[in-house]
Amino acid sequence: MSGFVEKPEPVQVPGLEHLHTGKVRELYQNAAGELVMVASDRISAYDWVLPSEIPDKGRVLTQLSLWWFDQLADLMPNHVVRACDTPEDLPAGAPAHWAGRTVVCTALRMAPVECVARGYLAGSGLREYAENRTVCGLALPEGLDNGSELPAAIFTPATKAAVGDHDENVSYEEVARQVGAESAAELRQATLALYSRGRDIARERGIILADTKFEFGYDGERLVLADEALTPDSSRFWPADQWEPGRDQPSFDKQFIRDWLTSPASGWDRTSELPPPPLPDEVVEQTRAKYVEAYERLTGLTWS
């Protein structure tokens, strides 16, 4: 089993229709037909949305995405209509704690695939490479190891999974079958261009962008970047000064949570059908610190 340990009840706001509860975000629609996206402090691991929250996480994800949208604006338009950074910016009747974690967005016709770019070998790509010397069916050279840099960044799309399910890697040919050859080529080109820009900016700040996931939608015929961009939830960020192929890399994400859940201290068996337990305070604090550090190192701004 997997999914929500405790599925939250969405906040009801007059004038907003609640559309969806995701792993992290609540999605609403306003009377103008715009989407109102609220990033919570929820965190997931091993396909479970955990009962513990990470303070400020939703605000970090939102503010970091907004910063990245600005860095990428010349390459790709995005779905942001306006950010709600203060209580005065929020839709009427919305709770004050939504400030800083809420974005009003254009409603798009979403592409039905997760658009992943990889510049380094890790995660599901590493597992496939170990078996077949391929990633998403793309042949790679011999001699690569855990954390190795690839000869060039590759586009490795995946299906969009429901809460509690795994995204599944698919071939480029399968994407072309689903969306058409022209749209598939456009998605691949956009994904690799955005990854290249993000990788270069992160590298200047001493961070390796190993891989990342983008979501795109269409505003009419125009391709638009949606959801989040280059956050610790959607990307593998590694400290460049600690990069060492041949082992798992330290990262700016849920590493402390994964490590604790799989340790004897948690008392949790991943192979059982039981949900994971609440996180200890120190794991929550360490994880929050990592998200904040990623924001500060990437943007050069002090978190407040």
Side-chain angles (χ1 to χ4, degrees), residues 62 66 72 76 142 147 152 156 183-184 186 199 214 237 254 269 272:
T62 301
L66 291 169
L72 304 172
M76 171 70 55
E142 293 282 344
T156 59
S183 292
E186 185 178 29
R199 178 197 59 200
F214 297 109
F237 290 117
K254 314 168 191 180
D269 180 2
S272 75

Side-chain angles (χ1 to χ4, degrees), residues 9-297:
E9 286 294 325
V11 175
Q12 299 300 320
V13 177
L16 297 184
E17 178 188 0
H18 182 259
L19 300 179
H20 178 66
T21 294
K23 289 180 180 179
V24 174
R25 289 169 181 79
E26 300 287 349
L27 192 63
Y28 297 79
Q29 190 166 41
N30 64 21
E34 299 164 325
L35 298 181
V36 179
M37 193 167 65
V38 186
S40 74
D41 292 335
R42 296 191 292 267
I43 195 159
S44 62
Y46 301 118
D47 298 322
W48 284 97
V49 181
L50 303 179
S52 305
E53 294 191 338
I54 308 301
D56 284 336
K57 176 174 175 280
R59 292 177 58 230
V60 170
L61 297 181
T62 301
Q63 297 305 313
L64 185 55
S65 288
L66 291 169
W67 184 85
W68 276 114
F69 286 145
D70 285 344
Q71 310 307 307
L72 304 172
D74 61 313
L75 297 178
M76 171 70 55
N78 60 70
H79 68 163
V80 176
V81 175
R82 61 186 179 277
C84 301
D85 289 336
T86 69
E88 292 72 29
D89 300 328
L90 293 169
H97 74 265
W98 279 15
R101 61 177 72 238
T102 301
V103 180
V104 179
C105 310
T106 302
L108 305 172
R109 176 172 54 87
M110 297 302 293
V113 291
E114 306 276 9
C115 292
V116 179
R118 300 176 189 268
Y120 292 75
L121 195 58
S124 61
L126 175 63
R127 292 190 290 275
E128 182 183 335
Y129 176 81
E131 294 176 3
N132 306 315
R133 297 298 183 264
T134 62
V135 176
C136 282
L138 298 173
L140 293 175
E142 293 282 344
L144 300 179
D145 208 336
N146 187 0
S148 289
E149 185 172 9
L150 303 179
I154 56 175
F155 176 61
T156 59
T159 59
K160 290 185 178 181
V163 174
D165 293 336
H166 276 301
D167 293 341
E168 296 290 340
N169 292 345
V170 295
S171 67
Y172 177 75
E173 289 72 24
E174 174 60 20
V175 175
R177 188 190 68 78
Q178 288 189 33
V179 304
E182 184 175 343
S183 292
E186 185 178 29
L187 290 170
R188 178 170 60 183
Q189 187 278 329
T191 299
L192 293 175
L194 294 171
Y195 170 78
S196 178
R197 173 70 61 81
R199 178 197 59 200
D200 292 348
I201 290 173
R203 183 177 290 158
E204 292 169 357
R205 291 152 171 79
I207 293 177
I208 289 172
L209 174 59
D211 55 45
T212 195
K213 175 190 74 176
F214 297 109
E215 293 201 35
F216 298 99
Y218 292 90
D219 184 7
E221 297 302 312
R222 183 179 69 150
L223 189 66
V224 175
L225 179 59
D227 195 43
E228 61 183 322
L230 297 162
T231 71
D233 271 15
S234 65
S235 315
R236 279 189 179 87
F237 290 117
W238 299 334
D241 59 357
Q242 298 179 54
W243 175 56
E244 184 182 326
R247 62 173 175 85
D248 290 339
Q249 312 300 316
S251 59
F252 292 95
D253 59 4
K254 314 168 191 180
Q255 181 177 330
F256 291 116
I257 291 173
R258 296 190 192 100
D259 290 349
W260 183 79
L261 287 173
T262 54
S263 74
S266 76
W268 182 57
D269 180 2
R270 275 185 67 191
T271 63
S272 75
E273 294 189 353
L274 296 174
L279 302 172
D281 290 345
E282 63 269 21
V283 174
V284 169
E285 291 164 5
Q286 288 171 324
T287 303
R288 178 190 180 278
K290 272 297 172 191
Y291 275 79
V292 169
E293 183 183 357
Y295 172 87
E296 292 185 336
R297 289 186 62 171

